[in-house]
Amino acid sequence: MSFILQVSNLVKSFGSLTAVRDVSFEIRQGTCFGLLGPNGAGKTTTIEMMEGIKTPDAGTIMYQGEALGTQFRNEAGIMFQNTALQDFITVREIMIQFSRFYPDTASIDELAEQFALHDFLDQDTRKLSGGQKQRLLLAMALINKPKIMFLDEPTTGLDPQSRRNLWRQVQQVKEEGATILLTTHYMEEAYELCDEIAIMDHGRIIAHDAPDALLAAHFDDVVVQIQAADIPRDIGEREFQAIYRNDSAHIVTGDVNRTIEHLLHLDIPLNHLRIRARNLEDLFLELTGKELRG
Amino acid sequence: MWNRIYALFVARNLEFIRDRSSLAWSVLLPILIIFVFAYAFTEENPEKFKVGIIAGGALEGAAAEFGNTRFVKFIEFAEVESSLSKVERHQIDLLFDPNTNRYWINQTSPNGYIVEKLLIAAYANFGEALQQILVEGDEIRYIDWVIPGVIGMNIMWGALFGIGYVIVRYRKFGVLKRLRATPVSAIEFLAAQILSRLWLMIAVNVVIFVGMDFVLDFRMHGSYLNLFLVFMLGSINLICCGLLVAARVSSEEVANGVLNLFSWPMMFLSGVWFSLEGAHPAMQKFALLLPLTHVTAAAREIMIDGAGLVQISDHLLVLGISSVILLIIGARIFQWE
Ligand SMILES: Nc1ncnc2c1ncn2[C@@H]1O[C@H](COP(=O)(O)OP(=O)(O)O)[C@@H](O)[C@H]1O
Ligand SMILES: [Mg+2]
């Protein structure tokens, strides 16, 4: 498989703050690549350099083997983290306006169908709800039938149902053959949509692979989760090195049988016991010592 | 390229037309100003007769008696030639030269008729001879004089804020950033903004001009085509000024400040409201730096004196050349973010 986009050694500083330090990766044609990291990790700065919006201080970005140019502008679909639209303009009008910018465009009717825009096609864009606006922005990003899409935190601020809807739509776009670069600070989102993930923190990529490969490489254990109220903290920490988060105690173990025997032996109630595989959230914690959603 | 410019042009037009409050403002404000002036200045002061006297030593005999008439304002002029237009335009009621006992009067001026009677009576008392010379010309009301300036002023506000402020807002709220992520180039974007603003301002001001002419029937002695050219060139020039301001600024407050810094001096120092003839020479020089001075002066020469393109070519040249320079600088330093 060939790389559609390659970045090497990107650096970007704002004054004394270095937002992106020496970031390199490649995106394979037709895949979804996720940049996962907490707020302030440098995801937006990275993606905006790749979109040609921000100029890197150092490093190179190649689209299909060439520097970003007209071809890239015509073939890239971009959805910013926050996008303002011009005032006093309806959904339909802005779709028409953007379609006139490109040589080859998708049908507005079909996009409206696909993203359920019909109910508010003639409404002022300022009157849309969060979910409606994200759908419009995604549709706008698709108006030029892009070969590569950039989605910067597309579901941040959406309710769970709108988020699932948008995931489904992104999935569909991917199935139609577009390559996607996505940033997010939602572990589930990255896991659900991405074929490859780079975990970012403090402007650096600290891990990079397919989601399951990342987990397999770092973990050969599982998490036994018990209600915090059921296991006194001193016992939990002494006997199991449990980590207390929210209302539960998390026990990481490579041998579930033994751990459960031990718990039974100590008369710990297991009514709320749950066993789960380690996820990206755990990985982030493991790698950085802090939580993804700080 | 034209597709993209057209798309942006249409979008900007829609925004302008749908933004009711600023649309209303740009139409109603100048009309309001013109009406205030029309009514404030048509109220004539009948006791105020104005007579121009050509200088030349102390007045004697009949001339002295006439010169002592109460409730007549006597204004001294150095020579006849340059003062005649004042009689023609009813700015003074009569011009009197005591050195030669000649006087000039406009037959259509009622005030002139009365002042002439006083002059003749004074001379009859002394048995001296007088020579009457008639001049022609319609009265120029203040409203005739101020209208070119008010239209110019309206163009100035519309151009500076309609371009400067709007682009800065686009930049601040990220509209420019979104456009930058498309194949739209800076030149295409700016061209669309200029064309849209130009066409909308022309439409609005033509409506104002025609409407006002219908009601006030003001003086228009020149060619409408030339007048159109002047206002058009003035619009382009002021739009380019707005563009320069908007090229980099991303804070509305800064843009507002700079635009006000441009516009208020023009508002009061470009000879829109009062003539710069008597002003300090330094101020007259400064006024020549302001585009609105040239717009107003050229429009006035066309409307009041019926000037042709040759007579106003200096103004056109200044406006044209500075537009090109401003546009080049503005486009050069333009930044999306
Ligand atoms: N225009 C800017 N000026 C100054 N600092 C910035 C700017 N943009 C981003 N930053 C800083 O760079 C860091 C990375 O930001 P960003 O790329 O937006 O992170 P993320 O998208 O991962 O939340 C943050 O500390 C942010 O405050
Ligand atoms: Mg971000």
Side-chain angles (χ1 to χ4, degrees):
Chain A
M1 247 194 285
S2 63
F3 296 120
I4 185 167
L5 202 57
Q6 295 163 286
V7 303
S8 31
N9 311 103
L10 282 191
V11 177
K12 179 78 181 176
S13 305
F14 301 104
S16 63
L17 178 115
T18 308
V20 174
R21 319 161 181 246
D22 197 24
V23 161
S24 308
F25 57 88
E26 280 109 13
I27 302 178
R28 280 170 224 279
Q29 182 103 46
T31 61
C32 177
F33 189 100
L35 274 178
L36 177 67
N39 276 328
K43 304 183 297 295
T44 297
T45 309
T46 304
I47 201 172
E48 287 189 353
M49 285 190 282
M50 300 175 67
E51 291 159 350
I53 301 290
K54 287 197 168 88
T55 332
D57 297 340
T60 53
I61 301 161
M62 305 289 255
Y63 174 69
Q64 303 199 329
E66 286 172 28
L68 305 184
T70 314
Q71 191 199 354
F72 173 76
R73 290 252 162 276
N74 283 332
E75 294 178 357
I78 293 179
M79 181 172 167
F80 290 125
Q81 188 168 354
N82 302 298
T83 304
L85 300 171
Q86 191 199 318
D87 289 346
F88 300 102
I89 198 157
T90 68
V91 171
R92 187 196 303 276
E93 284 160 355
I94 196 133
M95 298 284 285
I96 294 174
Q97 185 193 350
F98 272 71
S99 72
R100 288 199 176 115
F101 292 160
Y102 296 95
D104 183 21
T105 54
S107 138
I108 291 174
D109 272 337
E110 278 169 27
L111 284 177
E113 187 70 43
Q114 184 180 350
F115 293 97
L117 307 179
H118 275 300
D119 294 341
F120 49 90
L121 259 184
D122 292 307
Q123 254 183 48
D124 192 311
T125 53
R126 286 173 297 179
K127 294 192 184 123
L128 304 181
S129 73
Q132 289 173 330
K133 185 162 180 203
Q134 289 308 87
R135 259 144 61 208
L136 168 61
L137 292 174
L138 189 54
M140 281 169 63
L142 284 165
I143 198 123
N144 55 331
K145 301 201 257 181
K147 293 212 171 78
I148 178 144
M149 293 205 68
F150 297 88
L151 308 177
D152 194 2
E153 308 226 0
T155 64
T156 298
L158 296 189
D159 58 82
Q161 199 196 334
S162 309
R163 176 171 303 150
R164 294 234 157 250
N165 283 340
L166 211 79
W167 286 355
R168 223 184 38 241
Q169 281 154 344
V170 171
Q171 202 77 51
Q172 197 182 335
V173 170
K174 194 180 129 190
E175 277 156 21
E176 285 161 14
T179 308
I180 296 173
L181 172 58
L182 170 111
T183 79
T184 182
H185 66 263
Y186 295 116
M187 177 276 299
E188 318 91 280
E189 186 161 298
Y191 194 81
E192 187 98 359
L193 295 175
C194 299
D195 306 300
E196 228 178 292
I197 290 175
I199 298 182
M200 255 190 120
D201 192 36
H202 293 307
R204 271 186 232 284
I205 290 179
I206 51 178
H208 171 187
D209 210 330
D212 289 323
L214 274 177
L215 295 176
H218 286 89
F219 302 123
D220 52 7
D221 43 20
V222 294
V223 178
V224 174
Q225 219 171 301
I226 311 169
Q227 274 210 337
D230 292 342
I231 174 165
R233 207 173 172 117
D234 56 332
I235 297 181
E237 286 176 350
R238 194 183 60 231
E239 300 289 328
F240 301 97
Q241 289 79 48
I243 299 162
Y244 283 77
R245 259 197 269 171
N246 303 327
D247 289 338
S248 30
H250 299 246
I251 301 168
V252 177
T253 173
D255 187 340
V256 183
N257 290 25
R258 243 191 54 130
T259 303
I260 291 180
E261 270 169 27
H262 196 170
L263 285 166
L264 286 170
H265 182 73
L266 292 171
D267 272 343
I268 308 284
L270 300 182
N271 297 329
H272 301 284
L273 176 128
R274 223 156 60 78
I275 298 176
R276 63 168 177 84
R278 301 268 255 164
N279 60 28
L280 291 169
E281 205 121 15
D282 299 315
L283 177 59
F284 189 79
L285 185 70
E286 180 101 352
L287 291 172
T288 66
K290 63 184 183 192
E291 307 216 16
L292 200 47
R293 286 177 230 186
Chain B
M1 169 172 154
W2 291 111
N3 249 342
R4 294 194 283 270
I5 294 179
Y6 177 71
L8 292 162
F9 174 82
V10 170
R12 179 69 191 106
N13 288 354
L14 286 176
E15 186 180 18
F16 179 82
I17 291 164
R18 289 185 190 156
D19 186 0
R20 289 287 149 77
S21 58
S22 68
L23 178 65
W25 188 242
S26 66
V27 176
L28 291 181
L29 180 71
I31 293 181
L32 211 68
I33 289 177
I34 291 170
F35 269 107
V36 165
F37 278 102
Y39 285 101
F41 290 86
T42 43
E43 234 1 71
E44 292 194 12
N45 279 342
E47 70 275 306
K48 267 261 176 78
F49 296 102
K50 287 189 208 141
V51 171
I53 292 207
I54 302 299
L59 296 177
E60 291 165 7
E65 181 171 317
F66 177 59
N68 284 331
T69 314
R70 290 170 65 193
F71 305 116
V72 174
K73 191 174 173 203
F74 291 94
I75 307 159
E76 197 161 288
F77 292 101
E79 45 142 20
V80 174
E81 203 61 37
S82 57
S83 322
L84 271 182
S85 69
K86 300 253 189 295
V87 187
E88 288 167 4
R89 295 175 181 178
H90 298 227
Q91 282 157 334
I92 55 178
D93 302 314
L94 182 142
L95 181 67
F96 173 48
D97 183 355
N99 312 302
T100 59
N101 288 342
R102 286 191 300 178
Y103 68 93
W104 292 261
I105 187 173
N106 192 327
Q107 263 191 312
T108 60
S109 159
N111 277 6
Y113 176 79
I114 293 169
V115 184
E116 183 187 23
K117 286 271 179 275
L118 294 171
L119 180 64
I120 291 170
Y123 269 72
N125 286 346
F126 282 77
E128 289 181 37
L130 264 176
Q131 189 191 351
Q132 181 205 51
I133 303 166
L134 291 176
V135 301
E136 279 180 37
D138 299 331
E139 176 181 1
I140 296 189
R141 298 163 298 172
Y142 180 69
I143 194 75
D144 296 313
W145 189 85
V146 84
I147 277 204
V150 173
I151 301 271
M153 174 208 75
N154 199 39
I155 286 176
M156 174 192 75
W157 290 115
L160 287 181
F161 283 83
I163 286 282
Y165 198 61
V166 166
I167 294 182
V168 169
R169 272 179 59 95
Y170 277 1
R171 182 179 291 117
K172 179 177 172 186
F173 293 114
V175 176
L176 286 190
K177 183 174 161 187
R178 185 63 187 87
L179 290 176
R180 196 187 177 182
T182 70
V184 171
S185 72
I187 299 290
E188 289 164 349
F189 171 76
L190 294 178
Q193 299 303 308
I194 293 173
L195 289 175
S196 160
R197 182 46 42 163
L198 193 58
W199 129 253
L200 291 166
M201 281 199 326
I202 286 171
V204 164
N205 285 293
V206 163
V207 168
I208 292 171
F209 190 91
V210 172
M212 289 294 92
D213 195 22
F214 190 70
V215 179
L216 295 169
D217 187 28
F218 48 76
R219 182 178 172 113
M220 173 57 187
H221 279 193
S223 130
Y224 281 97
L225 199 68
N226 291 351
L227 187 66
F228 187 78
L229 184 75
V230 166
F231 282 134
M232 175 110 152
L233 201 57
S235 306
I236 294 177
N237 191 284
L238 286 154
I239 283 173
C240 293
C241 292
L243 218 57
L244 195 63
V245 174
R248 289 199 167 196
V249 179
S250 62
S251 133
E252 280 170 293
E253 290 76 24
V254 173
N256 220 346
V258 176
L259 288 170
N260 280 312
L261 207 66
F262 265 91
S263 46
W264 287 103
M266 279 207 254
M267 180 87 171
F268 291 111
L269 304 180
S270 308
V272 169
W273 312 108
F274 49 86
S275 168
L276 292 172
E277 267 172 32
H280 192 276
M283 201 182 106
Q284 293 194 17
K285 286 239 169 60
F286 176 73
L288 288 179
L289 296 175
L290 306 174
L292 188 55
T293 306
H294 296 280
V295 177
T296 305
R300 225 167 245 157
E301 282 177 43
I302 292 173
M303 291 176 68
I304 292 180
D305 304 326
L309 286 185
V310 179
Q311 285 109 303
I312 56 166
S313 56
D314 50 341
H315 297 303
L316 295 181
L317 215 62
V318 170
L319 289 173
I321 292 176
S322 57
S323 298
V324 173
I325 295 174
L326 288 167
L327 183 62
I328 290 175
I329 299 177
R332 272 276 167 86
I333 66 171
F334 179 81
Q335 276 186 347
W336 292 101
E337 268 189 276

